[in-house]
Amino acid sequence: MKRLFMQEVATRDGFQNEAVFIETADKITLINQLSECGYAKIEVTSFTSPKAIPSLRDAEAVMHGISRKPGVEYTVLVPNVRGAERALGCGIDEANLVMSVSEPHNRSNLRMTREQSFSQLSEVIGVIGQGPVAINVSLSTVFGCPMQGEVAADEVLRWVDRFANLGVRGVTLCDTTGMAFPSQVRELSRAVIERFPELQLTLHFHNTRGMALANALGALEAGIDRFDSSLGGLGGCPYAPGASGNVCTEDLVHMLQLMGYDTGLDLDRVLAASALLPGLIGHETPSQILKAGRRLDLHPIPEHVHTLSKQLPSNSAERIS
Ligand code: COA
Ligand code: ZN
């Protein structure tokens, strides 16, 4: 059974987009619950400016408050050196750096040019150094940019190469606004694996156009074994027009388990955690499996069917017990 590695992003990518402030204690309780589900990694929070992302202004308190389970990596988003210093003070396992491979998206999301981002992130990588804290770089808009349109695969490879040369452990290919389609995902994933076999490669999909699960299949065909996903399908990007939720963890895991993959996740526990979200965020989530149940969660046979069966002759093949 092929082992896959699942990385939960709801408490960062999800919560950064919620209008209400989720209480610190509630965040901690949820993350502790997620730690018992079998994730390889949990993206706990973001050490960004509290003015830019007020809903994650309690990053230190959350990182210090959670119980860390051995075997689970706790990663956080780090936008700059200031964020790196704050995050290092909390004993993170990994720093997740972010920039866009498209110029207009980088300018709107991070308010600087890609070159400025690269030099800032190079500085962050220098501050974190080659110590125990791993570094991942999430590259946004690699499958298309809502302002620029197509993003060339060569351009993506060029940015991966620049970060690989700085010694990062991993790179995440992000479909920030749901522009990816399965064959594109397969081809780009193959190209990155072929050229950078030593990188820990993650795929990060948004379901903006309903293609997230199909894109995960495209990634699997290329040999990808690591996925970001978000409990309940929360998420988006505050600076990307029309962006909507990440691929939903329980929907993705439900599909992968049916196909015989070992995701490491306990789906019952994931669903129990997902069921808490509406109470925390004040609205329903786009989760399908939470609404519909698993494929073989059977429904009771309605009473009128029993009544009907009593009227059938006892030897009837149609009889329903
Ligand atoms: N932690 C805390 N405060 C920070 C900070 C950090 N990591 N980085 C900057 N700040 C504060 C500064 O101290 C300054 O505060 P002040 O106004 O009280 O003096 C303010 O934020 C602006 O700082 P500046 O250095 O001018 O940064 P900026 O305005 O260019 O913002 C980012 C840079 C990256 C911090 C900001 O654009 C940002 O966080 N954007 C959100 C990115 C994001 O997470 N997007 C979603 C993920 S894809
Ligand atoms: Zn995202």
Side-chain angles (χ1 to χ4, degrees):
M1 207 194 300
K2 181 163 182 190
R3 175 76 160 100
L4 302 178
F5 300 91
M6 307 303 294
Q7 307 182 159
E8 180 56 54
V9 302
T11 54
R12 197 282 296 172
D13 207 343
F15 286 178
Q16 79 181 9
N17 288 288
E18 293 301 324
V20 296
F21 179 76
I22 295 143
E23 292 304 326
T24 307
D26 291 336
K27 288 175 178 148
I28 292 170
T29 305
L30 179 68
I31 292 161
N32 288 347
Q33 206 166 332
L34 294 173
S35 290
E36 300 300 324
C37 290
Y39 289 100
K41 228 183 249 184
I42 298 174
E43 188 164 10
V44 174
T45 184
S46 175
F47 285 86
T48 184
S49 152
K51 276 185 208 145
I53 313 268
S55 53
L56 300 181
R57 62 178 182 261
D58 55 359
E60 274 90 351
V62 172
M63 262 319 285
H64 283 305
I66 57 172
S67 310
R68 292 170 55 170
K69 190 175 167 90
V72 182
E73 282 195 61
Y74 296 88
T75 186
V76 298
L77 191 140
V78 167
N80 53 19
V81 169
R82 172 88 189 279
E85 284 161 351
R86 290 173 58 206
L88 289 173
C90 298
I92 54 166
D93 296 320
E94 183 194 81
N96 185 24
L97 282 38
V98 56
M99 70 167 281
S100 295
V101 295
S102 92
E103 190 68 29
H105 187 264
N106 201 72
R107 284 177 191 245
S108 66
N109 188 22
L110 302 170
R111 293 188 218 101
M112 59 184 95
T113 66
R114 290 176 300 173
E115 282 309 326
Q116 285 169 324
S117 278
F118 183 76
S119 80
Q120 186 167 300
L121 297 184
S122 305
E123 239 186 291
V124 171
I125 292 167
V127 167
I128 296 172
Q130 298 299 315
V133 176
I135 299 169
N136 185 76
V137 177
S138 284
L139 295 175
S140 306
T141 65
V142 301
F143 298 104
C145 164
M147 289 157 270
Q148 173 186 305
E150 298 291 0
V151 171
D154 282 349
E155 186 68 357
V156 177
L157 289 168
R158 184 170 78 85
W159 286 101
V160 176
D161 188 48
R162 291 184 79 179
F163 283 106
N165 287 334
L166 297 181
V168 304
R169 178 181 67 169
V171 165
T172 303
L173 303 179
C174 301
D175 183 26
T176 313
T177 66
M179 292 174 71
F181 53 94
S183 51
Q184 178 197 28
V185 170
R186 188 184 59 222
E187 296 317 315
L188 186 60
S189 300
R190 271 188 188 147
V192 177
I193 290 173
E194 196 180 295
R195 219 165 121 194
F196 307 97
E198 72 291 352
L199 276 183
Q200 183 185 89
L201 191 59
T202 300
L203 271 281
H204 176 113
F205 297 116
H206 283 255
N207 200 35
T208 321
R209 292 178 177 78
M211 289 190 277
L213 288 180
N215 287 332
L217 293 181
L220 288 169
E221 279 177 25
I224 294 294
D225 63 0
R226 198 170 273 276
F227 293 93
D228 279 353
S229 64
S230 179
L231 199 65
L234 296 190
C237 175
Y239 304 98
S244 75
N246 286 80
V247 64
C248 173
T249 303
E250 54 268 36
D251 295 358
L252 178 60
V253 168
H254 176 258
M255 178 185 83
L256 294 171
Q257 288 183 347
L258 288 173
M259 293 174 72
Y261 288 99
D262 172 11
T263 63
L265 280 176
D266 179 333
L267 188 53
D268 287 334
R269 289 184 185 211
V270 171
L271 285 167
S274 183
L276 300 174
L277 288 176
L280 295 179
I281 60 181
H283 59 84
E284 294 300 312
T285 67
S287 170
Q288 296 293 332
I289 301 303
L290 198 62
K291 279 198 278 285
R294 283 165 295 200
R295 177 170 169 267
L296 289 180
D297 285 348
L298 301 183
H299 299 261
I301 295 169
E303 194 46 44
H304 72 269
V305 178
H306 287 293
T307 314
L308 181 71
S309 70
K310 282 187 197 116
Q311 292 162 3
L312 292 171
S314 58
N315 62 352
S316 169
E318 314 265 308
R319 198 177 155 87
I320 298 162
S321 60

